[in-house]
Amino acid sequence: MIAGKGFYIWKIRYCEGGNVFAIVEQAIRLQLSHVLIKAADGPYRYNVYEGRDLLPDLVSALRDAGIQVWFWQYIYGNPASEAMAAIERVQRLQPAGFVVNAEVEYKNKPAQAEAYMKALRAGVGNDLPIALSTYRWPSYHPEFPFKSFLAYCDFAMPQVYWMQAHNPREQLVRTLAEYKQFNRPVFPTGACFREHGWWPTAADVSEFIQACKDLSLQGCNFW
């Protein structure tokens, strides 16, 4: 399904200047097993720039290098059109898996969450692995319909972002404890970004990766 170390790509044209070969070289240098590329934003295709779809070339180059390609989509609460956009991208480019990135827009919307997931699963089939990317601590977000999403997912990919702190192991342990109720394998996403004057240190990243190993997880990825 998925294992090892991966990285998210949001806007292809801002990664290594949009140079596909440079992106692949970086992925190889970092020994990434998988790369997760944004393929849709709500009901729209994503990473289409000036009329050109940037996904196919990058997908092909990563595959040729033996790196697994996953797609991800941010959703806003419009299940039918959002599922349709995801299905079109998956059917056309055949990623190894798909990540649903749902956050505040789906709070207090369990019916919409189920409608989206049901349509997505029907459209992509039962063999494609699907993960949910969202809040790391469900206890902080009781309005979010975790169960409605995860009922159709193969595993959870929580955003374990230790922002304004430097304790990734502690936060990961708490995440695993809180996600245990959903009975889904956890493949966590760690922090590799700067925000509001904070950024993770190299030691933080190493600690996060080591914690994943110590806790017998299959791997992790980073945003």
Side-chain angles (χ1 to χ4, degrees):
M1 186 178 301
I2 190 171
K5 181 176 61 179
F7 210 89
Y8 276 83
I9 288 179
W10 177 18
K11 297 182 179 181
I12 294 172
R13 69 184 188 273
Y14 293 148
C15 292
E16 305 298 326
N19 185 312
V20 166
F21 299 106
I23 293 172
V24 173
E25 284 179 7
Q26 276 280 49
I28 293 170
R29 185 178 67 82
L30 294 170
Q31 299 182 323
L32 300 184
S33 64
H34 62 284
V35 171
L36 310 102
I37 310 169
K38 187 167 185 179
D41 187 63
Y44 305 107
R45 293 187 304 159
Y46 202 76
N47 274 307
V48 177
Y49 183 61
E50 294 183 342
R52 179 173 168 239
D53 189 352
L54 304 182
L55 255 72
D57 287 348
L58 181 55
V59 169
S60 178
L62 287 165
R63 281 179 179 155
D64 288 346
I67 297 168
Q68 200 177 70
V69 178
W70 283 57
F71 286 172
W72 65 278
Q73 174 192 29
Y74 193 93
I75 54 176
Y76 297 89
N78 303 294
S81 58
E82 290 172 341
M84 190 179 302
I87 292 164
E88 186 276 330
R89 290 303 242 171
V90 167
Q91 290 181 345
R92 180 166 174 256
L93 296 169
Q94 299 292 308
F98 191 84
V99 177
V100 177
N101 183 192
E103 299 179 24
V104 64
E105 293 84 0
Y106 268 87
K107 284 188 173 182
N108 295 308
K109 293 182 179 179
Q112 290 91 330
E114 183 167 1
Y116 167 83
M117 291 302 305
K118 195 171 184 178
L120 175 65
R121 181 53 84 186
V124 303
N126 292 324
D127 293 334
L128 185 77
I130 298 178
L132 173 67
S133 172
T134 194
Y135 307 108
R136 69 193 188 280
W137 296 336
S139 61
Y140 273 31
H141 304 275
E143 318 93 328
F144 186 81
F146 289 90
K147 290 182 179 179
S148 299
F149 279 109
L150 288 168
Y152 295 86
C153 290
D154 299 282
F155 59 98
M157 199 174 277
Q159 301 164 6
V160 188
Y161 302 157
W162 54 95
M163 290 169 58
Q164 305 306 322
H166 296 282
N167 58 346
R169 178 182 292 270
E170 179 183 333
Q171 296 206 24
L172 177 59
V173 168
R174 177 171 175 177
T175 296
L176 295 177
E178 293 206 13
Y179 268 78
K180 198 169 184 180
Q181 63 183 298
F182 304 122
N183 195 30
R184 289 290 184 273
V186 174
F187 197 98
T189 301
C192 269
F193 58 85
R194 293 172 178 251
E195 188 169 299
H196 305 306
W198 173 90
W199 59 90
T201 65
D204 287 349
V205 173
S206 295
E207 180 181 320
F208 182 75
I209 293 173
Q210 187 59 50
C212 290
K213 293 177 180 178
D214 294 344
L215 294 164
S216 300
L217 301 181
Q218 291 298 306
C220 62
N221 46 49
F222 291 90
W223 171 262

